[in-house]
Amino acid sequence: MNNRDLLDLCFRNLFRRRARTLLAVIGVVVGTCAIVVMMSIGYGLTANFQEQIESYGNLHLIQVSSNGNNGVANQDDLKGIINDKTLKTMSEIKGVDAVTPIISEYMTVAVGKKVTQTEFVGIDADVLEKFNYEVSEGRMLKATDKNGVLFGNNVPMWFYNPNKNDWSEEPEKVVGEKLVITADWEYGMKKKSSDSDKIQYPEFKGKGIGVLAAENDESAYRVYMNMADLEEIIAANKKARKDNSSSTNSRLGKTYDQAWVYVGEIADVEDVIKVLKEDMGYYTYSPTDWLNAMQDTANMIQAVLGGIGGISLFVAALGITNTMIMSIYERTKEIGVMKVIGANLKDIRKMFLIEAGLIGFGGGVIGLILSYLISFLMNTVLINVMGSFLSELGGYGSSVSIIPWYVALGALAFATFVGVAAGYGPARRAMNLSALESLRNE
Amino acid sequence: MKQETTAQGKPLIRVEHVRKVYRMGEEKVVALDDVSLSIYKGEIVCFLGTSGSGKSTFLNMVAGLEKPTRGEIYIGDIPIHKLDEERVTLFRQKNIGFIFQAYHLLPMLTALENVSLPLIFRGVDKKQREKTARAMMKAVGLEGYEKRKPSQMSGGQQQRVGIARALVGTPKIIFADEPTGNLDSNTTREVMQLIVDQVKSHGQTLILVTHDRTIADYADKVVTIQDGNIIKIQQNTSDVESTLNEN
Ligand SMILES: Nc1ncnc2c1ncn2[C@@H]1O[C@H](COP(=O)(O)OP(=O)(O)O)[C@@H](O)[C@H]1O
Ligand SMILES: [Mg+2]
């Protein structure tokens, strides 16, 4: 028998007993719906957790701090020390895309009459782009930009006139503007404190290069400069403060307090942190520290919800088996006739398997459509009605229920598989039915 | 037991010392005792006997639907008694047509589809098999009934569909177990004439089982069975027409 005829025959058999077929299909619809909707809530929760954590910072970024033991430890122990040699070692860890040492200084930046105080971060301009930052205005920082300043997305909004009380909402135009950079907190004020011991910090001329695109992390609250430029400024500030400590050490070369490590795949972050902490002796900070605990919770909730769905699909499988067995009793004589006039045994088995599979597949398709509908309603109607309740469940983000395409496909495949599996026993029974026996009982 | 009078070379069907015993708990039922018989190509053979004499058992064993307790059955050179179910089904698909007393049409299929069924099982494509099936329906006088469901047809019409189904694949052998058992006498005559005409015109071999003596008149050879044994084999000398006139 060719497949088209087989399929045609199966459809007719199913449509012959519409009510009963429908009942079996409804079972699968409910089962599929239960699994998909339950899992979609789990995925919604996970996505919300992720959103929440991303707001804590860039998930790809690990901030590394030295252990503060520069020069104290024995001769060739580089544990916990950030210098050129260990930076290279970091960049060679599997999964690491880029590494840069970080220096920072909290200073005032002024454009025209307006000022703001912010953290200046000195960075290697060549690796900045590797950290996946993009500009929304102007351009990226280049190594040749002498005293060029790249602004975090929120910084331009914070400029104010120190002599007036006007906090405008409008972000200050900084790209292409001349800037003044100084550690003097009172820069631009007409009325300065009268303290005579006040340190006389130098003022530096700078230039606005660009503004970073909005990122939901701390990069939005900083400004960036070339490492070498910021080093000069810091050195001058130290001199003004009469501070003699040096970050250069004869044995270790130049050392840094901090470095950033960028990991391409979020999945690798955990492993990289482990190497940095346990093998290399650094302190690390990454938003993924939070993620794991939350992920565990989300996984558990999802497993429980998915399990409930699974049980209902199992019940649906019993429904299919029952339908097929009833169908065999009813069609015993037909099966006998088909065998006597020459239907291949395998075709008879296939017929029942396909019928059961079709119930599973059909139920799966309808179940999926219904799931998407329910998911849509949950994300639109329910989210408003039950807003506060959902936020307690971790409904921080924009959607309660998310159905990834692979869950949809997987559920469909599973429903079909359940159908075929449920039909397997009955199909064998039909195949092994004695043709004579089935014709005799009239 | 009488020996056949006309041996036409090698027999098509050879049944040798076949015995069939059914066991029902403690009790044994000997359905066939010891049956040997040869059937030749193109013959119309009628098995005549009272109910329970073992006719259907004989037919079913030759068709490979059940295995003899003892003895051998050959169709051509093929040992039917030895084939497993899968092979014997395939053999039936290619070589055997079946006509049932209760017609046994599939209710969800139209007349045309019922007739096409053996071709569907063989995997013949739709266009070709419908052409063949239409021609077959015309041959049994059911032109115009192609789209009817079995439930919308009379017994005689249903049996014509059954006959068309049995013949559509031009099998070598056709088995008919009480084909007119459910029909009135007029329809019986029409249906029997149809079967015999079709079988004769294609040179097919027909094995017919009945308890009705008048049906035996359509056969070339009448085998009388009693209590699981052949008690008489009779060659019909008169042709069918003259037999009919005598009735
Ligand atoms: N499956 C079976 N189990 C037990 N006894 C059977 C079975 N089939 C047939 N018989 C018995 O075998 C004998 C012959 O039956 P059968 O060949 O059907 O007779 P006929 O077709 O001539 O009426 C009967 O006594 C019947 O009861
Ligand atoms: Mg019988």
Side-chain angles (χ1 to χ4, degrees):
Chain A
M1 247 173 125
N2 65 44
N3 291 335
R4 252 192 48 211
D5 293 328
L6 204 56
L7 210 63
D8 185 48
L9 210 56
C10 289
F11 269 114
R12 280 184 209 218
N13 282 325
L14 290 176
F15 276 99
R16 201 151 42 131
R17 284 270 174 230
R18 248 159 269 192
R20 202 178 54 199
T21 303
L22 199 67
L23 224 57
V25 169
I26 287 173
V28 182
V29 169
V30 171
T32 309
C33 244
I35 286 193
V36 173
V37 171
M38 293 293 183
M39 285 185 82
S40 83
I41 294 173
Y43 278 100
L45 279 179
T46 310
N48 288 340
F49 284 158
Q50 198 124 358
E51 246 177 79
Q52 205 163 343
I53 283 156
E54 265 164 21
S55 72
Y56 298 162
N58 187 336
L59 286 177
H60 294 272
L61 191 69
I62 305 169
Q63 299 186 20
V64 180
S65 310
S66 79
N67 64 4
N69 276 350
N70 293 356
V72 176
N74 71 49
Q75 280 297 312
D76 24 54
D77 189 5
L78 292 178
K79 246 188 168 172
I81 287 160
I82 303 173
N83 66 6
D84 289 341
K85 202 169 161 192
T86 54
L87 282 168
K88 188 156 181 295
T89 315
M90 285 184 219
S91 70
E92 281 159 2
I93 299 172
K94 194 176 155 283
V96 172
D97 280 7
V99 175
T100 179
I102 295 293
I103 55 172
S104 66
E105 181 95 336
Y106 212 80
M107 290 191 290
T108 302
V109 58
V111 49
K113 285 199 167 73
K114 295 195 171 179
V115 298
T116 187
Q117 281 77 36
T118 185
E119 186 182 15
F120 278 73
V121 173
I123 202 165
D124 183 350
D126 292 333
V127 294
L128 193 59
E129 225 157 329
K130 283 198 208 151
F131 279 81
N132 259 3
Y133 288 122
E134 280 167 20
V135 288
S136 63
E137 214 185 310
R139 60 166 171 79
M140 219 59 186
L141 189 66
K142 283 187 196 158
T144 52
D145 289 325
K146 177 68 184 163
N147 282 358
V149 177
L150 181 64
F151 287 81
N153 191 266
N154 291 342
V155 180
M157 280 180 253
W158 291 346
F159 280 93
Y160 62 96
N161 188 332
N163 302 310
K164 285 185 191 162
N165 242 351
D166 67 332
W167 286 84
S168 73
E169 296 292 310
E170 285 294 294
E172 191 66 24
K173 184 180 176 299
V174 289
V175 176
E177 299 294 320
K178 283 182 180 151
L179 311 172
V180 176
I181 302 161
T182 176
D184 181 1
W185 283 54
E186 293 172 326
Y187 178 82
M189 284 189 193
K190 282 181 183 137
K191 250 173 82 183
K192 301 202 183 197
S193 57
S194 52
D195 190 349
S196 58
D197 287 345
K198 192 171 173 289
I199 299 165
Q200 294 300 308
Y201 282 112
E203 291 167 12
F204 298 88
K205 286 198 169 66
K207 194 180 174 198
I209 299 289
V211 178
L212 285 176
E215 278 278 344
N216 211 4
D217 62 29
E218 67 269 75
S219 68
Y221 307 98
R222 296 167 165 162
V223 299
Y224 300 87
M225 284 181 83
N226 272 305
M227 186 89 159
D229 298 342
L230 191 59
E231 269 174 346
E232 265 177 42
I233 294 173
I234 291 172
N237 289 346
K238 270 187 170 176
K239 211 169 148 193
R241 264 187 251 122
K242 302 189 167 61
D243 177 354
N244 294 323
S245 69
S246 165
S247 66
T248 309
N249 171 312
S250 58
R251 179 173 70 87
L252 300 169
K254 204 155 96 189
T255 59
Y256 307 91
D257 291 338
Q258 274 195 50
W260 286 358
V261 172
Y262 185 87
V263 180
E265 296 292 330
I266 292 176
D268 291 334
V269 170
E270 209 178 328
D271 289 339
V272 174
I273 287 177
K274 214 170 152 196
V275 175
L276 290 171
K277 264 186 166 161
E278 290 172 16
D279 300 349
M280 300 183 72
Y282 296 115
Y283 300 114
T284 64
Y285 169 78
S286 161
T288 50
D289 297 347
W290 304 85
L291 191 60
N292 290 329
M294 286 181 161
Q295 192 75 58
D296 285 348
T297 314
N299 284 348
M300 207 190 68
I301 293 172
Q302 196 161 5
V304 171
L305 295 180
I308 295 170
I311 290 169
S312 40
L313 200 54
F314 178 74
V315 173
L318 295 182
I320 295 177
T321 306
N322 183 50
T323 299
M324 296 318 291
I325 288 174
M326 273 163 76
S327 180
I328 287 172
Y329 278 131
E330 213 173 72
R331 281 150 65 190
T332 299
K333 198 180 291 174
E334 283 168 39
I335 297 164
V337 174
M338 289 172 80
K339 280 182 151 184
V340 172
I341 66 175
N344 293 345
L345 297 184
K346 280 177 188 148
D347 283 342
I348 290 182
R349 186 177 58 189
K350 258 195 228 165
M351 189 167 81
F352 280 88
L353 284 180
I354 292 174
E355 282 177 32
L358 281 174
I359 292 176
F361 180 77
V365 169
I366 300 171
L368 266 189
I369 294 171
L370 212 61
S371 301
Y372 274 107
L373 197 75
I374 293 172
S375 172
F376 174 77
L377 288 178
M378 285 172 98
N379 289 339
T380 51
V381 181
L382 209 66
I383 205 165
N384 294 329
V385 177
M386 302 177 60
S388 60
F389 171 69
L390 286 166
S391 69
E392 261 168 53
L393 262 178
Y396 167 93
S398 39
S399 42
V400 187
S401 152
I402 295 171
I403 305 176
W405 64 268
Y406 51 86
V407 167
L409 271 187
L412 192 57
F414 188 55
T416 311
F417 168 77
V418 165
V420 173
Y424 188 78
R428 268 185 67 91
R429 187 138 133 197
M431 185 176 79
N432 294 331
L433 216 65
S434 153
L436 266 188
E437 216 60 64
S438 40
L439 287 187
R440 196 169 281 133
N441 46 36
E442 288 174 38
Chain B
M1 202 170 85
K2 262 167 67 179
Q3 211 43 47
E4 291 111 280
T5 44
T6 50
Q8 304 140 324
K10 211 170 168 232
L12 175 64
I13 300 171
R14 212 146 44 83
V15 177
E16 289 179 358
H17 301 294
V18 161
R19 179 181 175 82
K20 179 71 181 179
V21 181
Y22 290 109
R23 224 170 285 271
M24 300 185 75
E26 292 291 286
E27 221 179 320
K28 281 186 191 173
V29 181
V30 181
L32 285 179
D33 182 22
D34 179 0
V35 174
S36 297
L37 180 74
S38 291
I39 295 168
Y40 295 88
K41 185 178 177 296
E43 269 189 319
I44 296 178
V45 181
C46 178
F47 285 78
L48 194 62
T50 54
S51 177
S53 55
K55 310 175 300 282
S56 294
T57 305
F58 176 82
L59 192 90
N60 292 338
M61 274 186 308
V62 177
L65 292 171
E66 57 189 333
K67 296 265 179 279
T69 312
R70 202 174 64 202
E72 294 170 351
I73 299 162
Y74 294 92
I75 298 181
D77 291 328
I78 295 167
I80 297 300
H81 58 289
K82 279 188 188 162
L83 297 185
D84 62 26
E85 205 194 349
E86 195 157 352
R87 289 224 189 98
V88 92
T89 311
L90 205 65
F91 181 83
R92 268 204 303 276
Q93 184 188 87
K94 297 220 156 66
N95 300 289
I96 289 175
F98 249 95
I99 302 169
F100 304 92
Q101 176 177 359
Y103 329 129
H104 287 326
L105 305 179
L106 300 196
M108 75 286 196
L109 301 183
T110 64
L112 185 69
E113 288 162 342
N114 264 293
V115 173
S116 311
L117 207 55
L119 301 178
I120 292 177
F121 291 157
R122 284 185 199 175
V124 178
D125 74 80
K126 190 165 176 164
K127 211 170 150 195
Q128 199 193 326
R129 73 176 182 238
E130 292 212 331
K131 201 175 139 208
T132 315
R134 267 175 210 283
M136 200 62 237
M137 284 195 75
K138 195 175 171 189
V140 298
L142 283 180
E143 208 175 1
Y145 287 82
E146 285 85 354
K147 291 252 157 20
R148 295 259 186 122
K149 289 279 170 72
S151 56
Q152 301 163 322
M153 301 174 103
S154 72
Q157 288 168 335
Q158 287 189 54
Q159 192 57 303
R160 281 166 194 267
V161 174
I163 293 164
R165 183 178 65 184
L167 297 173
V168 75
T170 54
K172 288 196 198 69
I173 307 164
I174 288 129
F175 290 89
D177 192 345
E178 310 265 10
T180 58
N182 290 7
L183 303 175
D184 64 49
S185 55
N186 274 333
T187 320
T188 295
R189 258 198 299 277
E190 284 168 26
V191 163
M192 277 316 297
Q193 199 60 54
L194 176 65
I195 296 176
V196 168
D197 286 349
Q198 284 294 328
V199 166
K200 284 256 187 242
S201 68
H202 292 97
Q204 287 156 311
T205 307
L206 173 67
I207 299 176
L208 191 64
V209 158
T210 185
H211 64 273
D212 182 353
R213 206 157 269 287
T214 60
I215 300 290
D217 294 338
Y218 293 88
D220 300 330
K221 190 151 84 180
V222 179
V223 179
T224 309
I225 293 197
Q226 198 171 48
D227 295 332
N229 278 305
I230 295 176
I231 56 162
K232 191 167 81 175
I233 299 178
Q234 183 190 349
Q235 206 73 27
N236 264 355
T237 42
S238 49
D239 66 300
V240 174
E241 293 304 322
S242 61
T243 319
L244 269 177
N245 292 341
E246 277 165 32
N247 280 358

